[in-house]
Every structure is written in structure tokens, then in C-alpha cells.
Amino acid sequence: MEIPSKYNSQEVENKILKKWLERGCFNADRDSFKKPFCIVIPPPNITGILHMGHALNNTIQDVLVRFMRMKGFASLWMPGTDHAGIATQNVVERELAKEGLKKEDIGREKFLEKLWAWTDEYGTTILNQLKSLGASCDWRRTRFTMDEDYSEAVKDVFIKLYEKGLIYRGNYIINWCPRCKTALSDEESAHKEIDGWLYYIRYPVKQKRSEAKPNEGTAGRDYIIVATTRPETMLGDTAVAINPDDKRYKWLKEMTVILPIVNRELKVIEDAAIDLEFGTGIVKVTPAHDPVDFILGKRHNLEFINIMGDDAVLNENVPDDFIGMDRFEARAALLEVLEEKKLIEKKQAYKISAGHCYRCHTIVEPRLSLQWFVKMKPLAKEAIKVVRKDKIKFYPARWKKVYLNWMYNIQDWCISRQIWWGHRLPVYYCKTCQQKKTESRKLTPESLKGVIVSKVKPEKCPQCRGNDICQDADVLDTWFSSWLWPFATFYWPNKEKSKDLKYFYPSDVLVTASEILFFWVARMIMAGLEFKGKIPFRDVLIHGTVRDDKGVKMSKSLGNTIDPLDIIDKFGADSLRFSLMLSAASGSDVYLSDDKFLVGRNFANKIWNATRFLLLKIRENNFEIDNLKLKNLNEIDRWILGQLNNTIDKVNNELENYRINEATKASYDFFWHTFCDWYIEIVKDNFTLDKAKVLIYVLLNSLKLFHPVMPFITEEIFQIIKEQTSLDIGAFIVNSSWPAKYKLNRVDKNTKKLESVIETIKTVRNIKTDLNLGTKKVKLQVKLKEEDKKFWEVNRGWIQRLTFSESIVFEEKLKRVLYENDLWQVNLGIRDIDTKNFLSSLEKKADNLTKVLDKVAARLANEKFLRNASRQTIENEKNKFGELTVQVGRLKSLIKAFGSSK
RNA sequence: GGGCGGUUGGCGCAGCGGAAGCGCAUCUCGUUUACACCGAGGGGGUCGUAGGUUCAAAUCCUACACCGCCCACCA
């Protein structure tokens, strides 16, 4: 069979993928003879399409899973998808909008039908894209956060926490997205600085000026000035506040202030939280629309006036003129009125740090509302301990601090969402019991009267026996289901179905970007400890962000993305993976541009052609390769096997420490620059059956080293080797065993000679370049000891070829020496030579080495050095001094012989 | 405001106490028994700045500067 000279990734990858899937190569089952290794995938959103971030994240996981699989572990990569509440609902809402409909038009039930239909149609798109990336998940096990069993786990957890008193319902200021019309958790509100204004507004004082005690500072005025960035919220003001120690406003303490436009009377409260330095030192207090004011409101028993609806449009709690206006419209209108009334003292440009909805980027409105929360402090306690004690380790380690810092300051988690797509809260209300409550502007603790927390709808209210019962309309935060992912995917808490859980839990490593450290990683740790009593994973591997070549984060909205599917099309999944792994220094961001992927493509082609060459030679020679028992090894063979051993060690070590880029680089360097550049070149013209076996042996083991990073091409070549030899090497490389070191039982005396020859070849090439000889063939004259002649004799052929020489002759005496090392001297058989370049490169070398030599000499002459440095260090320096002296001596005498250019 | 990173050749990174390295880019040469998606070579860096510790500092310490993240209730 002819092998084409270019590797065709498209053709190969589809074919190989199909075989793997058909033969269940990725399946992982409980096996009492194997140790488990498990990674749970960060479930992509069902709305997702594969982007570079996914490609990076999942390639890392796949490399680890494939590595451990080959190492003989029952290596499970658990796949699945996340229902992604708000994100998915938004997508389907947009679809609906194309028909001119809103979700309310068709109702909850119909809307959910559409969502499920959408899920069925597009929900697995990303999983198929992961397959084409080569992701070796056990696809039989694919789970979805809204699967029936999974939903049971979610309800279960809610009830457990509720019964433990860790879930409560209450009126608090939460982050509200007026576009998605739902509450958000603190984490879902991303703070960004925006340009705004700080307005200074005059509020009149009710009491007549004469009644005011005339003394310090601002006392003489009949108004006060407050500063605000969100003037429209003043319509909900119910007080103004000052610091009790603020001498400037002592006079104000007994006064009443009139809220302009609304004409509500505001009392003046004193609170130590007020910053004397900021603004005017007087704060307008809007308890229903600002988190700080909310606390003040509770502390001082103020009225809470909610002035906005769920879409941030002002409601009937504001003067008629403003009702129905959007918050920003209202701001403009209000400022106009204030301007007219001359109530604006001044405004100054100001950077506001405003929360933005992490799904639609709308500015979040702090809003008082009745929501469900999880008490986090008790859950955080253990989760802090396991990380502090390194039961869970972060890679890179610095993330430990970030994690702990967040955990120490953790806030309660708002888990109810006013959307339709998600897990309904397992909460029911008895309308009869609830009606007894009274409407009030005063904030009262939310009574649990009429609240029934239950997995299924109760027939009757346990309190009043009434049957007018309805389920809470809200759904749970998406992360309230994702935080169970490491064990709910194994059908926890169903005892019957979750047998694998015992075997595979805890998983070994979680691979993720830092963005979801708090959203997901921290919460999984808490959930694992709370519900399973065990950590969910031992290691957390945090990789960087994917950026473009200018360092800007890749994002769809900026249009600077590189589509991984395009790269797969053009260069192949292996190239994509290889280049990603090579550029992804552990934990640092990845800068990508199209040409980065050429490295991967070129390397794939290199592997391909090396294989092609070997198989070609084997066929030419009619060699029958039916075993890999290596025989008649000479020093060259032992040298390459030793180099392979070193590489295996290095790759093992690096992969075990999650330094995939280092592992990738090590195997790349070995294969290209040692195996191809030297070994193959050396044995080319002495291609015996024994050599062919060494070549195939090294090739096969190299393929195995590459396989985790480049699964497709390595599998394809593995299959070709199987086809073209009689070797019994197993069905698939994906299920084959990881390379072991070749047993080399003696230290080779000739290794030094071989390495000196390689050094000599390199130098001769340099000299020829310097002498402008190009590829001209000249005689290579060598003066060497009798005992080394045999070595040169045996290896004459390839040394001659690689030095581009017409012949090699041994001389008793050289007319001149162009190169010299510990073992031999070399001259080239030419008469007239242009020594200019040669001399200058010699001089440059000599200069550099002399500088170093001087330093070493000075060090050795330094008494303090001899006194303080370790014996070993001094010994090293002495050796270095000796070597350098010899080298410099050689160079200097060479320069002298050719007549210095200086 | 607090915290965490980073600053090494044009670009991206490694090195983290004893002779400045790698990949890409660049330049020169090359129709060599696979591969031009190749081979052989070359040029290019006083390791952000200023101090300090040390016999010795890119490497440890302290400030500072710039860049980038994250957290935070400065209205």
C-alpha cells in the first residue's frame, strides 16, 4: 500500500473516530483489577458551540484521561451538558421573538415544550463537536442537568438543606436583571466600571431657618446637599443619614428634611457607616434600592418603598409624572425637573462600578425582593479546611489564596430565579394560610406560614387542612444543580443505580478556567462535603484564558475569535490540540493566531513522513518484522534507546504534575531533533533487519508518548504498522499500554565517542560554512589514537555522509588543525581557504569563553568564595576552570596558526 | 480600598542562587536514499527601575513604575 507524502487529517480523523466509538474504546467500567481514574467534564451549556476555550479545556482533560488509560487505570471521563437556565431561555425567547411572540403569549407550559424541543434538537451539538476534537469520554454515560434522576437529586438537596435550616426565604436587596426579569446571585452580577456622574442635590430642611441653631458650617442654610450617582432612586428615599461624629451637621440632627418633588418628610438618622469624607457627608437613604441603604433601613426601622417593577419601570409608588418611565428615562426627566427648580448644586464626572448581568450584560438594579437563599457560612467551614490542609490542591498553587479569600468572606447565595427554564423549587404555598398576612411598607420577617417544602405536591395543607395549594413559580439557579455534578452524574442518591459512585468518587482532577472558580468549583467542594461527606476531587487544575495575538480575550462580541472547527478542518484536530498544549504554559494565558497551528500541522507531517520512510525501507528490503526483540545493539542503538528512556521519564514526570506543555515539548524534541535528525540519518545507509526493529520500536513508543496529545494520527499510524508488519501490538493504541523504559544493562563506554563524533560533525559543518565551502565535498583528515580508529572505521559511512565529505583518512600528523577535542583532531583537505569568517567565529568564541574563564578564575582567587561556598561548588568551579582553560587554549592556538585578524 | 499575578532577544514563553535557553519570526546556504509542512547554519537579550542580602543575583528581600486579573456596600 502506498502511503501519501502528505498527511491527510480530514480523511483519517473521521475514520478513526468512527472505529473508536464502534469498538467502545473510551468505555470505563468498574474493574476490581484496576485503579480508578476519573474526571467529570465541566458540562458545557446546551446552547454552546465549541470555542477555543472549550478546545483548550477539553484537550487538557483528554490528555490526562488518555494518559491514565494507557497507564492501566479504569480511566473515566464523564460527559454531559448543563441546562443553563437563563442562557437557554434567552435563546429560545429570541427564536420566539422572530415570530413576534413573547413567552407570556404562549404560556409557561407551551414555552417549556419549546425549550425541550430545542434541547432535543441542538442540546447535543457541542458534544458532537467535542467528539471531533477527539474527546475520549465514556459517551454511554452522558448526563444532562435536567435528566429526571438528576432533578430528583436537586430536590433532595434542597429539602435536606431546608430541613437543616440552611435554606431560608426572605426580603433582601438582590441583584435584579430588568431584561431577564430575574434575581441574580452576587457572582452573576459582574462589576464593571462605567462613566457616570455624581450629582449633588439640594433637599430643603423643613424647619424654618430661624428655628435652626445658628452656628458652625452649613448651619445657616435652609437646605442640605446629598450626593448620588443614581438620582432616580431618590423617589424611594425614606431618610437622610449622617455620621454621628460629623460636627458640620450637628444642627441637622433634630431636623426633618423634605424630599423634593415627592414632598415626603425624611428623618435624619445617624450611623457610623457614613463616610465623612465622601461627597457632602450626607447620604440619601433608599432602603429598597441600595444594599447599604437596605442595612440602614433595617437598623433604623425605616420604610421600604419599592419604586420599580420587574422591568425597572417606575411604578405607582412615585409621583404620577414618572410612573411608567424606564429607570434611565426617569433619571433624565427627574434631572430636568430638579434643574428647573434649581435643586442641582453641581455634578461631577464619576466612575461608577456597576453590576452587569453575566448573561445579557444589562446593568443590574439592586432591588428589594422576596427570594430564597442558602446560608453559606456553615457550608464553607469544611470547604475551607480541606483546602487549607491540602486535601484539595490547586495547580497553580496561587489559586488556593484566591479561593480561601473568597470563602472567608462568603455571602449567602440567592438561589431563586424568576424564569421558567430550570428546576422548579420543591416549595408549595397554602393560599389560605398566606392570605392572613397584611401588606405593609414596613419590612416584616417573612412568615413561613403556608410554606410547604416537599418533593411532591401535598394534597392538603398540614396546618389548615386546606387544599388550595400551588407550587412556587420560581426555578433554581443553574448552579444549584451544577454543584452536584461530581456525584449526581452517578445517579446519587439512588442507591440501586449509583454503584459506580463508590468506585469513581472522588474524582481525581477538575480542569477549569478561573472564571468559574466561585460559581462552580467552590460550590462543588461544599456540596461534596455536605452531601457525600467527601471532597469531590483531589486536584483542581486551572488553566489560562484564550486570547488573540494582541492579548485581547477572545470573544464573539469582539469578533476576534478563531473557530476551532475551522482549524480542525484546515489542519486537523491533532494540530489544534498539539499547538494548544504546546502554547499553554501551565496556568498562563494562551495567545493564539492562525500560524500557531502550523507548528502542529508540520509536526504531524513530520511523524507521518518518518513512518512512511521506515515502512518504505522495510518493504524495499523485504524485511519481515514479527517481533520487537532487539538484537545486536551497537552504541548508536543503545544511545537512541537511552534517549528514549530519558524522554519517557520526563514525559511521565511532567504529565503527572500537569505540565502538559513540558511533556509535549520533550517528546517533540526527542522525536524530531534526536530520532529524526540523528538516529534515522545515521542508520539510513545501514538498514538491517535489526536496525529496522529498533526503528519500529522507537517509533511505536514515541507514538504512544504523543498519543494523549495527538490521538488521531498516532492511532492511524499504529493501524498502518499493524497492517504492514506481523507484529502483535494490540487492537488500538488508545487502549495500549504506556511505554516502559528499555532495559539497558550496562553503561556504554562508546557513548562518549558517539557524542564526540556528533559534536565533530556539527563543527565540521560550521567550519565549512565559515570557509564558504558550502556543500563542496572535501577530504576529512583525522588524527586519532589507535584505539579509536575502529570506531571511526565502523561508522565511516554515515560520518562521511553527514559531514558532506568525499573521504575520511587517518593521518599521523595533520598539516594544520581546524578542530580539536579530547579525543581527536580534524583538518579538511583543501589548499586555499578563505579564513576570514572562520577566524572571526573562532575569535568570537574565544572572547566569550575567556570572559567566562576570567570570572571563574576570579572566583577561585577569591578567599571569601573559598571560605563560604560548598565543597561541591568549589569542586565544580575547579573542573570548569580546567575545561575552559583547555578550550580557550585550543582556540587561541588555532587563531595563532591562522594569523589573527586583529 | 484590599488581594493576586506578570515584566527575560521582534512576538509567545522556559529558567527561579553558580557559563542567558526554547518555539515562532528574521537572515545565509542547500534539487542530500522520508518530509520545502524539509535540511544545515547565522544574527539578535547589560533578564522593568532603584536599592539591599550574598563570595556570587534573571533567580532571594524591599520599595517604585507599568500591564493584567479578581474581590469590595465610597452613596
Side-chain angles (χ1 to χ4, degrees):
Chain A
M1 186 190 81
E2 274 308 311
I3 302 174
S5 77
K6 283 200 166 68
Y7 169 61
N8 182 339
S9 58
Q10 284 98 322
E11 218 174 88
V12 169
E13 289 179 1
N14 291 330
K15 181 184 73 187
I16 295 286
L17 179 61
K18 212 173 143 218
K19 273 195 195 165
W20 282 336
L21 293 175
E22 275 169 13
R23 297 286 292 273
C25 291
F26 309 150
N27 295 350
D29 294 301
R30 263 178 292 149
D31 182 338
S32 49
F33 294 103
K34 286 180 173 179
K35 281 188 193 159
F37 177 82
C38 178
I39 295 182
V40 293
I41 202 169
N45 294 352
I46 47 174
T47 55
I49 49 162
L50 192 76
H51 57 63
M52 235 2 132
H54 291 126
L56 174 64
N57 176 255
N58 289 291
T59 301
I60 292 172
Q61 296 177 72
D62 196 43
V63 168
L64 298 174
V65 166
R66 284 177 185 271
F67 172 57
M68 294 307 274
R69 187 183 291 127
M70 290 173 81
K71 284 222 140 194
F73 287 73
S75 187
L76 169 62
W77 189 9
M78 169 72 81
T81 47
D82 193 300
H83 68 280
I86 301 174
T88 311
Q89 173 158 326
N90 286 352
V91 168
V92 176
E93 272 187 276
R94 272 201 294 275
E95 298 265 302
L96 209 55
K98 283 180 199 159
E99 302 166 40
L101 290 169
K102 283 189 192 149
K103 66 179 195 298
E104 288 78 10
D105 298 336
I106 62 171
R108 187 162 187 152
E109 209 167 306
K110 275 262 155 29
F111 185 65
L112 283 178
E113 270 172 34
K114 284 212 178 275
L115 268 153
W116 277 109
W118 193 93
T119 304
D120 290 340
E121 192 170 351
Y122 303 107
T124 53
T125 305
I126 189 149
L127 296 183
N128 291 325
Q129 292 171 333
L130 284 176
K131 285 176 193 167
S132 62
L133 182 70
S136 65
C137 300
D138 185 346
W139 297 106
R140 298 171 305 171
R141 296 178 184 261
T142 304
R143 301 301 311 277
F144 176 47
T145 49
M146 294 254 286
D147 282 350
E148 215 173 291
D149 304 272
Y150 202 105
S151 302
E152 286 301 302
V154 173
K155 278 186 224 165
D156 222 75
V157 157
F158 185 97
I159 291 166
K160 276 200 176 100
L161 289 176
Y162 181 76
E163 284 170 354
K164 225 178 157 178
L166 292 180
I167 283 186
Y168 62 92
R169 189 186 191 214
N171 267 303
Y172 291 92
I173 289 273
I174 43 82
N175 303 290
W176 184 268
C177 175
R179 205 221 59 85
C180 301
K181 293 184 189 168
T182 179
L184 300 172
S185 66
D186 293 346
E187 291 68 42
E188 287 169 321
S189 155
H191 283 260
K192 261 188 284 182
E193 278 207 336
I194 52 173
D195 289 319
W197 297 96
L198 185 60
Y199 299 93
Y200 290 75
I201 302 171
R202 296 180 184 179
Y203 285 15
V205 177
K206 183 184 174 192
Q207 285 79 356
K208 291 255 159 50
R209 193 185 172 289
S210 52
E211 289 169 33
K213 290 169 195 156
N215 44 32
E216 328 98 288
T218 56
R221 291 196 197 131
D222 54 5
Y223 60 86
I224 56 163
I225 303 165
V226 298
T228 180
T229 54
R230 289 154 62 219
E232 68 281 9
T233 61
M234 70 184 275
L235 299 174
D237 283 2
T238 54
V240 294
I242 55 170
N243 188 298
D245 297 333
D246 197 334
K247 296 198 178 92
R248 293 170 298 177
Y249 299 122
K250 241 181 180 170
W251 62 273
L252 189 59
K253 290 181 184 177
E254 304 302 319
M255 303 282 153
T256 304
V257 172
I258 305 294
L259 180 61
I261 300 171
V262 182
N263 294 321
R264 183 160 47 232
E265 292 195 355
L266 306 177
K267 67 174 173 174
V268 178
I269 60 170
E270 297 171 61
D271 198 291
I274 308 305
D275 185 350
L276 290 119
E277 307 294 317
F278 192 89
T280 58
I282 307 178
V283 182
K284 59 185 268 314
V285 183
T286 321
H289 289 279
D290 185 277
V292 183
D293 295 4
F294 173 75
I295 294 165
L296 291 176
K298 278 178 102 174
R299 208 181 284 158
H300 298 272
N301 198 27
L302 303 174
E303 270 190 287
F304 291 75
I305 303 176
N306 195 333
I307 59 165
M308 289 180 202
D310 61 4
D311 48 2
V313 167
L314 302 205
N315 62 18
E316 66 287 348
N317 290 333
V318 301
D320 291 354
D321 294 352
F322 298 99
I323 295 175
M325 281 183 179
D326 168 79
R327 54 186 165 160
F328 298 119
E329 262 178 77
R331 179 179 299 176
L334 186 72
L335 287 168
E336 214 170 286
V337 177
L338 290 170
E339 192 70 57
E340 242 167 60
K341 300 195 175 206
K342 305 244 180 297
L343 289 173
I344 297 180
E345 179 82 9
K346 61 171 175 176
K347 66 172 186 177
Q348 64 188 60
Y350 194 74
K351 295 253 186 242
I352 309 166
S353 171
H356 290 68
C357 172
Y358 89 133
R359 282 301 169 207
C360 72
H361 312 292
T362 302
I363 293 180
V364 161
E365 192 64 31
R367 183 166 181 253
L368 181 65
S369 105
L370 184 57
Q371 303 287 346
W372 288 86
F373 298 86
V374 180
K375 267 188 209 162
M376 297 308 275
K377 289 265 184 222
L379 293 176
K381 215 177 148 203
E382 275 299 300
I384 287 171
K385 211 190 269 174
V386 292
V387 169
R388 272 183 54 188
K389 293 193 168 169
D390 290 329
K391 299 263 190 292
I392 296 177
K393 280 193 199 155
F394 285 87
Y395 294 82
R398 65 184 136 92
W399 291 104
K400 177 177 174 177
K401 284 188 217 162
V402 179
Y403 169 90
L404 286 175
N405 184 49
W406 187 75
M407 289 296 268
Y408 289 138
N409 300 302
I410 197 163
Q411 301 294 315
D412 285 356
W413 176 14
C414 174
I415 51 169
S416 43
R417 297 287 176 277
Q418 289 65 49
I419 56 170
W420 290 351
W421 178 238
H423 302 278
R424 283 285 278 274
L425 275 73
V427 173
Y428 299 83
Y429 302 105
C430 166
K431 288 186 185 165
T432 325
C433 289
Q434 289 212 315
Q435 265 163 10
K436 294 171 188 160
K437 283 195 306 174
T438 46
E439 280 284 319
S440 166
R441 277 184 171 180
K442 286 277 159 89
L443 194 66
T444 49
E446 185 55 33
S447 158
L448 286 173
K449 226 174 182 185
V451 175
I452 310 150
V453 171
S454 162
K455 251 190 171 172
V456 291
K457 186 174 176 176
E459 297 274 324
K460 282 181 190 156
C461 170
Q463 279 163 26
C464 73
R465 301 267 132 205
N467 60 1
D468 193 4
I469 290 170
C470 64
Q471 186 171 8
D472 194 306
D474 292 353
V475 301
L476 289 159
D477 180 8
T478 294
W479 302 100
F480 193 86
S481 56
S482 338
W483 74 332
L484 312 177
W485 189 250
F487 47 93
T489 44
F490 289 98
Y491 295 94
W492 178 91
N494 183 325
K495 288 229 162 58
E496 207 45 47
K497 284 172 129 178
S498 65
K499 284 182 179 149
D500 281 353
L501 186 57
K502 208 174 167 190
Y503 184 70
F504 286 112
Y505 187 94
S507 66
D508 290 85
V509 53
L510 184 91
V511 182
T512 180
S514 60
E515 284 99 307
I516 53 174
L517 185 61
F518 306 139
F519 274 117
W520 194 48
V521 180
R523 287 173 183 158
M524 277 191 290
I525 294 174
M526 290 185 268
L529 291 166
E530 176 68 18
F531 305 115
K532 283 288 300 160
K534 268 193 211 167
I535 52 170
F537 30 74
R538 291 173 238 280
D539 293 338
V540 179
L541 176 56
I542 295 185
H543 59 250
T545 307
V546 177
R547 300 174 182 280
D548 66 14
D549 54 350
K550 291 176 196 74
V552 182
K553 190 170 169 173
M554 273 191 194
S555 76
K556 239 199 291 185
S557 55
L558 289 174
N560 62 344
T561 55
I562 299 177
D563 184 350
L565 296 168
D566 276 356
I567 301 296
I568 290 176
D569 250 21
K570 261 196 267 180
F571 305 127
D574 286 330
S575 306
L576 171 69
R577 295 167 58 115
F578 181 86
S579 294
L580 279 175
M581 291 304 95
L582 201 61
S583 338
S586 40
S588 60
D589 290 348
V590 185
Y591 288 61
L592 291 178
S593 52
D594 275 335
D595 59 335
K596 276 259 163 74
F597 300 102
L598 292 175
V599 185
R601 184 202 58 176
N602 295 353
F603 186 51
N605 199 243
K606 186 75 183 180
I607 303 172
W608 186 255
N609 274 290
T611 308
R612 190 166 77 101
F613 178 65
L614 298 190
L615 293 177
L616 208 77
K617 296 290 272 186
I618 287 171
R619 200 152 5 109
E620 268 176 16
N621 288 287
N622 282 318
F623 288 150
E624 167 83 7
I625 312 252
D626 53 7
N627 68 73
L628 286 177
K629 288 187 192 106
L630 308 186
K631 280 188 290 195
N632 301 319
L633 296 180
N634 67 10
E635 52 273 342
I636 300 166
D637 305 324
R638 285 191 293 271
W639 172 73
I640 194 67
L641 291 167
Q643 298 290 315
L644 174 65
N645 283 350
N646 295 344
T647 309
I648 292 171
D649 268 350
K650 169 105 173 147
V651 171
N652 261 332
N653 190 290
E654 301 294 8
L655 283 183
E656 272 160 13
N657 289 291
Y658 305 123
R659 286 188 298 251
I660 299 175
N661 63 321
E662 293 293 332
T664 306
K665 195 172 145 29
S667 45
Y668 170 89
D669 280 344
F670 166 74
F671 189 81
W672 199 315
H673 298 303
T674 305
F675 185 56
C676 290
D677 286 355
W678 288 100
Y679 188 77
I680 292 183
E681 287 304 324
I682 288 171
V683 303
K684 246 178 193 176
D685 57 1
N686 180 26
F687 200 89
T688 61
L689 177 61
D690 290 330
K691 286 278 175 289
K693 285 186 182 175
V694 176
L695 283 161
I696 293 290
Y697 178 88
V698 176
L699 174 64
L700 270 175
N701 281 290
S702 303
L703 290 175
K704 288 182 175 186
L705 292 180
F706 300 141
H707 180 260
V709 176
M710 308 183 92
F712 292 105
I713 187 172
T714 50
E715 186 69 84
E716 171 69 2
I717 295 177
F718 189 85
Q719 299 301 330
I720 292 174
I721 291 175
K722 237 173 38 171
E723 223 172 79
Q724 303 208 358
T725 65
S726 320
L727 289 169
D728 178 17
I729 48 176
F732 289 98
I733 197 171
V734 59
N735 297 127
S736 70
S737 61
W738 188 249
K741 289 206 278 182
Y742 187 85
K743 217 174 189 168
L744 288 167
N745 37 21
R746 61 191 157 111
V747 182
D748 210 311
K749 282 180 295 186
N750 281 336
T751 300
K752 164 105 171 117
K753 274 182 210 169
L754 178 64
E755 276 164 4
S756 291
V757 167
I758 289 175
E759 198 53 46
T760 305
I761 292 170
K762 284 185 185 168
T763 311
V764 169
R765 286 168 176 169
N766 279 343
I767 293 169
K768 291 183 81 173
T769 305
D770 284 342
L771 296 180
N772 283 325
L773 293 172
T775 48
K776 198 175 160 194
K777 299 220 165 178
V778 295
K779 203 186 280 174
L780 190 67
Q781 301 165 336
V782 191
K783 181 187 167 206
L784 71 178
K785 294 188 206 99
E786 203 55 39
E787 67 204 70
D788 293 331
K789 278 190 180 155
K790 193 178 162 215
F791 185 84
W792 276 74
E793 211 50 77
V794 172
N795 297 298
R796 175 187 290 273
W798 62 267
I799 299 177
Q800 195 172 313
R801 181 161 42 84
L802 298 185
T803 47
F804 308 106
S805 310
E806 59 181 25
S807 65
I808 295 175
V809 291
F810 301 144
E811 306 275 2
E812 285 304 308
K813 199 165 187 278
L814 296 179
K815 278 190 187 137
R816 74 184 158 221
V817 177
L818 291 178
Y819 167 72
E820 178 182 7
N821 62 27
D822 293 345
L823 297 175
W824 46 69
Q825 297 177 324
V826 173
N827 185 26
L828 298 180
I830 40 168
R831 257 185 225 139
D832 306 315
I833 52 177
D834 173 10
T835 57
K836 202 174 142 249
N837 290 336
F838 178 57
L839 262 175
S840 76
S841 78
L842 281 180
E843 276 163 357
K844 195 176 165 188
K845 238 181 259 169
D847 283 352
N848 286 338
L849 283 182
T850 307
K851 267 184 215 154
V852 180
L853 180 62
D854 290 348
K855 258 202 223 162
V856 176
R859 204 171 290 159
L860 285 168
N862 186 340
E863 242 178 76
K864 285 181 183 169
F865 171 72
L866 296 173
R867 215 180 317 132
N868 293 317
S870 73
R871 191 175 294 240
Q872 185 59 53
T873 307
I874 295 172
E875 192 61 28
N876 290 346
E877 290 299 308
K878 279 184 178 165
N879 290 340
K880 204 189 289 171
F881 180 79
E883 277 168 40
L884 284 166
T885 310
V886 174
Q887 285 178 42
V888 171
R890 277 180 198 144
L891 287 169
K892 287 209 166 141
S893 64
L894 268 180
I895 292 166
K896 205 173 161 198
F898 283 90
S900 165
S901 65
K902 281 178 188 166

